[in-house]
């Protein structure tokens, strides 16, 4: 959910500005606002607006009358800046995701993307999010025939499609029994929509209701015949036949409620090439070593272009059945022109592939390596480590268990792996003459290819480039280096693109990046290069990559043919492309995070939704980290800190701590070398946030304090106040509550806007609660409510009033918070406090429902601090209901999470809850131990109220 004004059009119009509902009683005002909101941030002409509002009977003075209505609409909204006057119309300035129509389309797109990638749980969640936005017919109380005719059919059709796609996902998850009532309703309401009928038939059949499934088909057949005079589609007739014969293809999948985890058996190999040729002895030798005996590592060593990677991937595909727990692949880029693959990044990728949630991946490379070995222990997994330049690149990735095997490719024999890790080397040389001729025959057709094979030195890379050069050219022969000839045969435009692509710092590139780099439309030129085998498709769709030898040739040609100024211009254009892309993603994913002003220019990559933004960043992450490193070392320096700062929100969201640490450090070095104080302060803030995430509070404090010093020198009070607010959180997490309060007080003294002051008061009030200063908390939250009467301020004041014992007043504020609505974490906090209030009133039965609803909102990937607190409250409710086993489980889960994320007061509350449950279960020794830990931790942290409760248990 975005911050700021919120607008709902999927049903009766609803408007919220500043947390309060705005009622537009005039129908023409609603039509006017709807016309603008359906095209946010775009100018809607006066002519269009008059037509939408008055239809076929416009007023005599259309423009003047429209101006009057617009003035009244601005006044009703209470924020005149929301609607801007343009040259020939008006535009509404809002985040598109603040309008439910666009949020619906975004959620639907995320659902489709997740379903396409196989992440069914994410797809289910996104589709549910989209459907929950509909409260009735679109624009139901907006009196505008043109708006209804232009938009209602499109949106209604998209709604039906989302229903269909969500049901497909639910069926794939094995939830057919739950779907039957809903599908009966959908087929009743939309009797001509055949896909619903097909889904109903499948759901009934999987629920052992074959007769009803067949009856559903007969009912559809009758309906179509009576209303349209047609038969069911061929797809429905085929489904009917499959149900009649009990086709095994219709069997239900096993329901799995844990689809949010990555597959336990990841299959991450690049595609095997269709025309793999020769290497019979090598394949037999490698397969024998991998599957038999005690050889844990096989190293394929040979010169560049000899086909080591192709051979390794081919063997890995052949052996997939021997390694049912998965195959992992990584290009270590040991011989690339750009930087080698970062060890932390590789380890993180492997751990994610093996199902480790991002927030459970440790930040240290040694810890990650240990976790990898632990996960692989006893499993049968094959790892392919491509392009390693040294044993130290490989060792952190080795499984250390006899059941796993590793194939390494390198130009060297990596003798260190032989001596210390039991590796066996298989030399890979050029093709034999017979193998060369066989490959050329496969590529060019049968013929006398012996001389050509010899001219190519029997090198597979050269053979493929030569074959691509000669294809369709009967009158041409190879008289020199195939790469040189293939390059020379290109027209000037693809030649120039080929040269400039050697500037790409990462492992691959898109046509958009290539276009920016060379200032051309590169799509067709890349096709020319791919046909010539000078670039090849990467494993990800729509991306290309270089062979190391080809990129070296391209770089040499670039140095010879392109001036330093031309090369610098291309490099800067590529960085601008990356920067504009990251900025666009930041706008979609985390618009509220303040970022450094951007120097980037040029077109923005085509990224339309948050799902596309995440996909773009995931795909470009290796290129972006490499670009930041290169810019820090070789310039332009400002791009290093600009990209590092703009990536901060994404790296936080994805918990990519390795890349986060590397990019922030490169950005800081570049800023310090350039004596750019604002950037240096931003990078210190960035690192401070990272070390807070890692639980390294000492370093976090150091970086935050340095940022505060720099912002003070610069006279940037707003930025200094923001860092002070962050610093207070660090002190709270580390138990330095006095220092946290001091930082917050200093922060509040510098704040100016009501919103920022209210946020500071929230933090001060929460700190007062932890300190046991409940009267002070009530005062702080009351002031915050006065400044910003939103759901959060009502929730926090309700919490403080409950702790003060003023239960009736607390209930009023908590009910109001739920009426206003909030993001999932905010709503969960309100529900949790309502449950705690019912518990304090002695009604544990009534407390169960809000506590359970709260946990449902945040348990699956939501705010983990809120989820921890909710589990503790729900545990207290379960204990009050004498469900002691469930209570103990909730407290234990909360304790584990609280310790992992550094949530100090949550840790103590969970320990107190465990002590109480274990005392109820007569586990006296366990109860005393938990109470003792709670006393020690609360005393260390200065949590006086919790310390008092813990001591009472002793």
């Amino acid at each position: 959910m975005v911050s700021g004004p919120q607008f709902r059009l999927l049903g009766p119009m609803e408007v919220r500005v500043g947390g309060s509902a705005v009622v537009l009683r005039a129908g023409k005002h609603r039509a006017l606002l709807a016309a603008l909101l359906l095209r946010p941030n775009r100018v809607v002409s006066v002519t269009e607006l008059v037509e939408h509002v008055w239809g076929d009977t416009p007023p005599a003075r259309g423009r003047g009358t429209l101006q009057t209505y617009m003035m009244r609409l601005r006044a009703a909204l209470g924020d005149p800046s929301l609607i801007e006057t343009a040259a020939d119309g008006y535009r509404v300035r809002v985040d598109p995701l603040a309008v439910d129509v666009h949020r619906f389309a975004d959620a639907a797109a995320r659902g489709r993307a997740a379903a396409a990638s196989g992440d069914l749980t994410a797809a289910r969640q996104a589709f549910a999010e989209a459907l929950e936005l509909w409260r009735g017919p679109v624009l139901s109380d907006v009196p505008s025939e043109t708006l209804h005719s232009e938009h209602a059919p499109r949106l209604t059709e998209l709604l039906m499609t989302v229903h269909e796609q969500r049901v497909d996902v639910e069926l794939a998850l094995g939830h057919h029994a739950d779907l039957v009532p809903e599908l009966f309703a959908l087929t009743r309401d939309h009797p001509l929509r055949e896909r619903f009928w097909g889904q109903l038939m499948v759901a009934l059949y999987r629920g052992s209701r074959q007769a009803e499934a067949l009856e559903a088909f007969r009912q559809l057949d009758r309906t179509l015949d009576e209303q349209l005079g047609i038969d069911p589609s061929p797809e429905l007739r085929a489904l009917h036949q499959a149900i009649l014969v009990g086709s095994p293809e219709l069997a239900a999948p096993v329901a799995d409620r844990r689809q949010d985890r990555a597959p336990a058996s990841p299959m991450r190999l690049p595609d095997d090439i269709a025309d793999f040729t020769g290497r019979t002895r090598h394949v037999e030798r490698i397969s024998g070593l991998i599957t038999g005996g005690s050889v844990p590592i096989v190293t394929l060593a040979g010169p560049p272009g000899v086909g080591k990677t192709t051979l390794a991937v081919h063997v890995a595909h052949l052996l997939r059945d021997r390694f049912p727990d998965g195959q992992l692949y990584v290009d270590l880029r040991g011989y690339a022109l750009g930087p080698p693959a970062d060890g932390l990044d590789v380890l993180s990728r492997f751990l994610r592939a093996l199902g480790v949630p991002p927030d459970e991946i440790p930040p240290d490379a040694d810890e990650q390596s240990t976790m990898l070995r632990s996960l692989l222990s006893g499993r049968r997994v094959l790892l392919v480590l491509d392009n390693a330049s040294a044993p130290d690149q490989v060792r952190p990735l080795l499984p250390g268990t006899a059941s796993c095997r590793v194939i390494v490719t390198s130009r060297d024999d990596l003798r260190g792996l032989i001596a210390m890790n039991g590796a066996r080397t298989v030399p890979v040389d050029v093709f034999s003459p017979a193998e060369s001729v066989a490959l050329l025959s496969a590529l060019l057709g049968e013929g006398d290819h012996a001389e050509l094979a010899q001219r190519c030195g029997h090198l597979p890379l050269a053979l493929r480039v030569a074959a691509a050069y000669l294809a369709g050219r009967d009158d041409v022969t190879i008289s020199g280096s195939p790469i040189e000839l293939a390059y020379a045969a290109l027209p000037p435009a693809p030649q120039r693109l080929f040269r400039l692509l050697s500037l790409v710092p990462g492992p691959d590139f898109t046509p958009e990046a290539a276009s920016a780099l060379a200032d051309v439309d590169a799509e067709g030129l890349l096709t020319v290069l791919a046909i010539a085998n000078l670039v090849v498709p990467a494993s990800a769709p729509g991306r290309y990559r270089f062979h190391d030898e080809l990129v070296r040739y391209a770089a040499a040609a670039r140095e010879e043919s392109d001036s330093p100024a031309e090369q610098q211009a291309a490099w800067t254009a590529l960085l601008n492309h990356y920067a504009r892309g990251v900025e666009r993603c930041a706008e979609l994913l985390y618009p509220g995070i303040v970022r450094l002003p951007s120097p980037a220019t040029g077109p923005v990559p085509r990224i339309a939704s948050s799902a596309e933004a995440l996909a773009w960043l995931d795909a470009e992450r290796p290129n972006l980290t490499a670009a930041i490193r290169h810019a820090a070392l070789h310039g332009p320096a400002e791009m290093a800190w600009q990209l590092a700062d703009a990536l901060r929100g994404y790296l936080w969201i994805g918990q990519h701590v390795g890349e986060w640490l590397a990019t922030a450090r490169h950005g800081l070095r570049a800023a310090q070398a350039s004596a750019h104080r604002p950037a240096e302060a931003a990078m210190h803030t960035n690192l401070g946030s990272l070390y807070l995430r890692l639980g390294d509070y000492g370093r976090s404090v150091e970086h935050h304090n340095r940022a505060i010093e720099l912002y003070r020198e610069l006279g940037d009070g707003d930025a200094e106040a923001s860092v002070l607010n962050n610093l207070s959180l660090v002190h709270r997490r580390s138990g330095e509550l006095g220092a946290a309060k001091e930082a917050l007080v200093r922060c509040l003294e510098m704040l100016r806007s009501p919103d920022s002051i209210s946020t500071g008061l929230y933090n001060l009030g929460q700190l007062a609660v932890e300190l046991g200063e409940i009267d002070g908390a009530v005062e702080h939250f009351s002031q915050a409510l006065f400044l910003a009467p939103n759901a959060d301020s009502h929730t926090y004041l309700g919490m403080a009033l409950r702790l003060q014992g003023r239960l009736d007043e607390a209930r009023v504020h908590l009910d109001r918070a739920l009426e206003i609505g909030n993001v999932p974490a905010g709503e969960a906090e309100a529900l949790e406090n309502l449950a705690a209030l019912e518990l304090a009133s002695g009604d544990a039965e009534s407390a169960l429902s809000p506590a359970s609803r709260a946990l449902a909102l945040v348990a699956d990937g939501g705010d983990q601090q809120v989820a921890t607190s909710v589990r503790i409250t729900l545990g207290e409710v379960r204990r009050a209901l004498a469900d002691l086993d469930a209570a103990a489980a909730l407290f234990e889960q909360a304790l584990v999470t609280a310790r992992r994320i550094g949530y100090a007061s949550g840790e103590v509350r969970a320990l107190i809850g465990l002590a109480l449950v274990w005392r109820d279960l007569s586990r006296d020794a366990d109860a005393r131990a938990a109470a003792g830990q709670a006393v020690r931790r609360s005393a260390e942290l200065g949590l006086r109220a919790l310390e008092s409760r813990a001591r009472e248990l002793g």
Side-chain angles (χ1 to χ4, degrees), residues 129-142:
E129 179 185 330
L131 294 172
E132 286 172 0
L133 294 169
W134 283 76
R135 298 165 293 110
V138 62
L139 304 170
S140 62
D141 65 345
V142 175

Side-chain angles (χ1 to χ4, degrees), residues 109-349:
R110 284 190 281 115
R112 288 192 294 273
S117 69
D119 191 348
L120 299 182
T121 295
R124 181 191 191 205
Q125 184 175 345
F127 286 141
E129 179 185 330
L131 294 172
E132 286 172 0
L133 294 169
W134 283 76
R135 298 165 293 110
V138 62
L139 304 170
S140 62
D141 65 345
V142 175
S144 171
E145 291 185 8
T146 56
L147 287 178
H148 280 274
S149 63
E150 289 178 16
H151 297 281
R154 172 181 61 85
L155 289 168
T156 303
E157 175 57 27
L158 183 55
L159 170 65
M160 293 296 99
T161 301
V162 170
H163 271 299
E164 292 168 345
Q165 292 167 335
R166 185 191 67 82
V167 171
D168 282 342
V169 168
E170 296 283 6
L171 287 170
L173 287 168
H175 302 163
H176 45 272
D178 299 334
L179 286 169
V180 170
E182 178 185 353
L183 285 167
F184 272 129
L186 287 169
T187 51
R188 182 188 64 243
D189 295 340
H190 308 281
L192 301 181
R193 203 161 184 101
E194 292 189 47
R195 191 167 170 187
F196 286 147
W197 286 99
Q199 291 168 329
L200 174 61
M201 290 163 64
V202 171
L204 288 168
Y205 175 79
R206 289 180 177 175
S208 301
R209 300 163 69 176
Q210 184 179 19
E212 291 178 74
L214 296 172
E215 175 56 34
F217 178 82
R218 286 191 290 270
Q219 185 176 344
L220 170 65
D221 191 13
R222 288 193 300 270
T223 301
L224 292 176
D225 181 60
E226 291 169 1
Q227 297 194 25
L228 301 176
I230 62 174
D231 294 323
S233 67
E235 292 82 1
L236 263 293
R237 293 199 299 273
L239 175 61
H240 176 250
Q241 183 63 27
I243 291 173
L244 276 173
V245 301
S247 172
E249 295 177 357
L250 293 179
V254 177
D256 185 0
R257 303 289 179 174
R258 299 171 297 168
Q259 289 282 337
D260 55 315
R261 288 276 177 132
S265 302
M267 306 297 178
R268 300 298 175 93
L269 294 175
D271 292 338
D272 195 7
I273 62 172
D275 54 6
F276 184 87
T277 303
R279 303 293 194 199
T280 302
R281 288 187 300 104
H282 287 84
V283 170
E284 292 175 353
R285 173 69 170 152
I286 299 164
S287 299
L289 290 171
I290 287 293
T291 59
S294 58
V295 178
I297 306 166
V298 175
T299 300
L300 311 187
V306 81
K308 300 182 295 295
T309 298
T310 300
L311 175 59
V313 170
H314 180 69
V315 171
H317 276 280
L318 291 177
L319 300 179
R320 286 178 70 159
D321 290 344
R322 303 295 295 269
F323 296 94
D325 293 323
Q327 296 88 40
L328 296 171
Y329 169 89
V330 65
D331 181 0
L332 295 174
R333 293 176 50 81
Y335 302 96
L337 283 182
D342 181 84
L344 273 173
D345 179 38
V346 174
L347 283 163
S348 295
R349 274 190 278 158

Side-chain angles (χ1 to χ4, degrees), residues 43 46 63 85-90:
V43 175
V46 169
R63 181 179 294 271
T85 303
D88 187 41
Y90 298 86

Side-chain angles (χ1 to χ4, degrees), residues 367-388:
E367 293 179 17
Q368 289 186 5
S369 184
T370 300
M371 178 179 281
L372 178 66
R373 288 193 295 273
S374 175
L375 286 170
L376 294 177
S377 178
R379 304 178 72 184
R380 289 185 290 169
V381 175
L382 177 64
L383 287 77
V384 180
L385 309 180
D386 197 16
N387 288 316

Side-chain angles (χ1 to χ4, degrees), residues 331-333 336 338-339 341 345 349 504-509 536 538-539 543-548 578 619-626:
D331 181 0
L332 295 174
R333 293 176 50 81
D345 179 38
R349 274 190 278 158
V504 174
D508 57 16
F509 48 86
V536 295
S539 56
R543 305 183 74 85
Y544 294 85
R545 63 177 178 84
F546 266 126
H547 188 282
D548 287 348
Y578 288 146
E620 295 292 353
R621 189 170 74 244
N623 290 317
L624 293 170
T625 53

Side-chain angles (χ1 to χ4, degrees), residues 540-699:
R543 305 183 74 85
Y544 294 85
R545 63 177 178 84
F546 266 126
H547 188 282
D548 287 348
E549 283 307 290
L550 292 173
V551 76
R552 291 180 188 280
Y553 181 86
R558 169 171 53 82
E559 292 293 342
E560 182 179 333
S561 302
D562 301 292
S563 69
E566 290 171 325
Q567 295 181 53
Q568 185 61 36
W571 168 240
T572 301
L574 179 62
L575 287 178
N576 276 327
H577 166 76
Y578 288 146
R580 297 287 277 165
V582 173
E583 290 160 11
R584 172 61 180 153
C585 293
E587 292 169 1
L588 290 166
L589 293 171
Y590 37 93
I593 294 181
V594 178
R595 304 187 302 277
L596 287 169
S598 172
T601 57
V604 179
R606 296 186 295 272
I607 305 168
S609 67
S610 56
E612 291 180 14
L614 276 175
W616 190 91
L617 289 168
D618 287 341
E620 295 292 353
R621 189 170 74 244
N623 290 317
L624 293 170
T625 53
I628 291 168
R629 182 188 308 185
H630 195 282
L633 294 173
H634 306 291
E638 63 180 349
M639 279 300 188
W641 64 69
Q642 172 63 35
L643 282 168
D645 182 68
L647 274 175
R648 176 168 40 104
Y650 162 71
L651 297 174
W652 174 283
I653 291 170
Q655 309 293 347
H656 302 290
V657 294
E659 297 95 325
W660 191 356
L661 184 60
T663 55
R665 283 176 172 171
H666 288 309
L668 178 60
R669 291 191 192 107
Q672 290 172 333
S674 304
H676 195 290
R677 291 294 181 259
E680 185 180 346
M683 292 300 99
H684 277 296
T685 304
N686 193 356
L687 283 164
S689 298
L690 169 61
Y691 283 118
L692 170 61
R693 159 69 180 83
L694 298 178
D696 189 340
Y697 302 124
R699 288 189 182 181

